[in-house]
Amino acid sequence: HARAPAATYAWGRGDDGQLGRGDRSSLNAAKPLAALADASVGKVACGWAHSVFVLEGGAPAARGQTPPRALGRAVSRRDGPVTPRRAFMFKRGDVDGICGQLLGVVLSFVVIARLSVAIVGLNADVVAARVLPGCAAATAVGNGLFALQAYFLGPDATANPHGVSAVLLAVVLAQVAAPERAAAGPEAAYEAALFTASLVGLIELACAPFVGALKRRMPAAALHASVAGQALVGLAMGFAGDVWAAPADALGPLVVCFCCYGANIRLPGNAPGGLGAVVVGAALGPPVRRMFGVAAAGEAPGMPSSTLAAFATPLSAFSLLKRAWTSPRSLRYIPVALPLALTNVFNTLAQVGAASNCGDAYDPGMSVAADAFATLAGACLGSPFPTGVFVGQPAFKQMGARHAYMLGSGLAALFVGCSPAAMAAATAAFPLAAGAGFLLWIGIAVTASAFAPDQGRPSGRFASAAAVAMGLVPVLANWGAQLVVASAAAARGGALSNTLEALAAQGVNVRGLAALAQGSLLS
């Protein structure tokens, strides 16, 4: 909005009625507001989905989805012709959010099923009956808690996405499950992972009362850099190879995301962009593969059979946890759990900072406690992997998702994780490669949001962007070092030291990258 001597003009996004024109249309050019033609406007303040005007005499008025405290406690929000629109439980953007989250849930559950068989050594049917339902329950509990947090913050608040942490999953498998399986067998490995997950949750819960003071002393750019690094490497670069390795399945959904969320192009019938990406991936993938003679990916190894029980109820793991907590062998994994918990705390602070940058000021202590409760609930129900707050809240905010998408995502995760038949149907109906395009877009959107903090003068914005860019360097170094180590291990052509020396001769200093990568999330 802009105020001129004779009129008040509005332009930009109007999905929530925030332009004050009486509809939800968007404007590419400034036009005068007819609703305020006879009013004397003194000041204008614009939020993400609402606008507040101070009329002559100091009386405020609002348009769009007005947060409960936007007009103050003593002022009615139903003031004349500019009454705010009442929010519904589910919005159009929530459908987009559910589609995006469901893709991530299915991908993570497939990975968990594969690695629980390959590394932990559990039978695939045991994974389907105990591990996946526990992970689904942890995801549902966390999603519900973060949805409630957004609901109480205000009708315009977008919940933080949440689920089983891929980073912590990899560490628990590599540093807990694999060595314990080699020493004592698959059952002992599973119990050790349960112990580690529950200890991570307890440490996080103990840290929750103190993280608010910690966040107030941390520079905002540090939090933005951490989120941007995770999004760029974990989502954008992590799935870029998958997109171009299976373009028949993945490029269609990626193009839909760029058109709908990047260029603000409406789909026919004003359909949600996330739903459109899912439909395009499921509909175009098979015929395009047939046209070019490309074979579809085979069934994921280690996946549970779809002929098991229709619904596996999460089972109590208290007896396994009790045995793990009383076993002297579990003490050796305390040094693993402590840094995992601290990493998760700092990750949650980073995601809270990213949400605050978009206008959603969540309490950091409550956010850490919600994640801790989800991890503990999952461990008690058989999930050996800690949960975490995901990157992506700015992207879901831009999609128009609010709190309800997390409720829907939690229910969907519970259904898919507890039903082998539903898991098989989801992976058959929608190619997993198609979800990579959607997740790639989320990584790009989150990275872009980190470079646009809402603060001060242009020079302040530049300084913040420079700090964020510098914060990306250790994360990119970590990514490069991991690629080199993984490539050397896959080649099996000799000692790693020989490989590093050969790369250094070609100008690739992997040792320097590895040194810079240490503590990339914290640095």
Side-chain angles (χ1 to χ4, degrees), residues 55-491:
L55 306 180
E56 185 178 359
R63 198 65 171 170
Q65 262 198 1
T66 314
R69 58 190 176 280
L71 299 182
R73 296 181 182 274
V75 182
S76 171
R77 294 194 298 168
R78 300 187 175 276
D79 188 9
V82 285
T83 302
R85 177 171 55 85
R86 183 178 180 84
F88 294 95
M89 184 65 175
F90 273 90
K91 296 184 60 180
R92 174 180 173 274
D94 289 319
V95 178
D96 289 347
I98 291 173
C99 291
Q101 276 290 95
L102 184 58
L103 295 175
V105 165
V106 173
L107 286 171
S108 66
F109 284 176
V110 169
V111 171
I112 289 171
R114 289 179 181 178
L115 298 183
S116 296
V117 173
I119 297 179
V120 184
L122 298 176
N123 181 275
D125 291 345
V126 173
V127 173
R130 181 178 288 276
V131 177
L132 287 182
C135 294
T139 302
V141 170
N143 287 10
L145 291 175
F146 281 97
L148 286 174
Q149 188 184 37
Y151 177 81
F152 287 114
L153 184 63
D156 189 40
T158 298
N160 276 310
H162 184 265
V164 176
S165 171
V167 175
L168 272 60
L169 164 71
V171 174
V172 169
L173 288 173
Q175 299 188 19
V176 177
E180 190 67 17
R181 179 192 179 187
E187 189 67 22
Y190 179 50
E191 293 178 6
L194 284 175
F195 166 81
T196 304
S198 61
L199 183 57
V200 167
L202 290 174
I203 295 174
E204 281 190 80
L205 199 59
C207 293
F210 310 103
V211 296
L214 177 62
K215 182 179 181 296
R216 287 192 294 271
R217 288 165 174 79
M218 292 183 67
L223 299 178
H224 298 327
S226 176
V227 173
Q230 294 177 69
L232 183 62
V233 172
L235 290 176
M237 295 307 300
F239 289 101
D242 297 332
V243 170
W244 272 268
D249 291 318
L251 279 182
L254 179 61
V255 170
V256 171
C257 290
F258 267 96
C259 290
C260 293
Y261 306 127
N264 293 321
I265 296 174
R266 296 288 185 181
L267 294 179
N270 203 29
L275 182 60
V278 171
V279 172
V280 168
L284 293 186
V288 172
R289 285 197 304 269
R290 287 194 298 268
M291 182 184 304
F292 292 96
V294 179
E299 183 179 356
M303 286 296 294
S305 171
S306 59
T307 60
L308 295 176
F311 194 85
T313 305
L315 301 175
S316 171
F318 280 112
S319 60
L320 299 178
L321 276 174
K322 180 180 179 181
R323 191 160 58 204
W325 273 85
T326 55
S327 172
R329 295 183 60 86
S330 299
L331 298 177
R332 68 184 65 188
Y333 299 115
I334 293 178
V336 177
L338 180 59
L340 285 184
L342 295 179
T343 299
N344 226 16
V345 168
F346 279 98
N347 171 68
T348 302
L349 289 179
Q351 309 312 328
V352 169
S356 178
N357 194 41
C358 296
D360 295 338
Y362 290 112
D363 180 81
M366 292 296 294
S367 299
V368 171
D371 179 48
F373 277 122
T375 294
L376 290 171
C380 292
L381 294 173
S383 171
F385 308 116
T387 59
V389 182
F390 293 162
V391 297
Q393 194 270 356
F396 287 117
K397 183 88 171 179
Q398 191 264 346
M399 293 177 188
R402 297 298 181 256
H403 67 274
Y405 88 98
M406 285 302 287
L407 288 177
S409 301
L411 294 175
L414 194 62
F415 178 72
V416 172
C418 294
S419 174
M423 175 77 81
T427 53
F430 186 75
L432 294 180
F438 198 102
L439 297 174
L440 171 60
W441 161 255
I442 291 178
I444 292 173
V446 173
T447 304
S449 71
F451 286 92
D454 184 16
Q455 55 177 324
R457 301 180 303 276
S459 59
R461 291 197 294 271
F462 174 79
S464 177
V468 172
M470 183 60 208
L472 292 178
V473 175
V475 183
L476 293 174
N478 184 44
W479 177 64
Q482 288 178 348
L483 287 181
V484 171
V485 173
S487 300

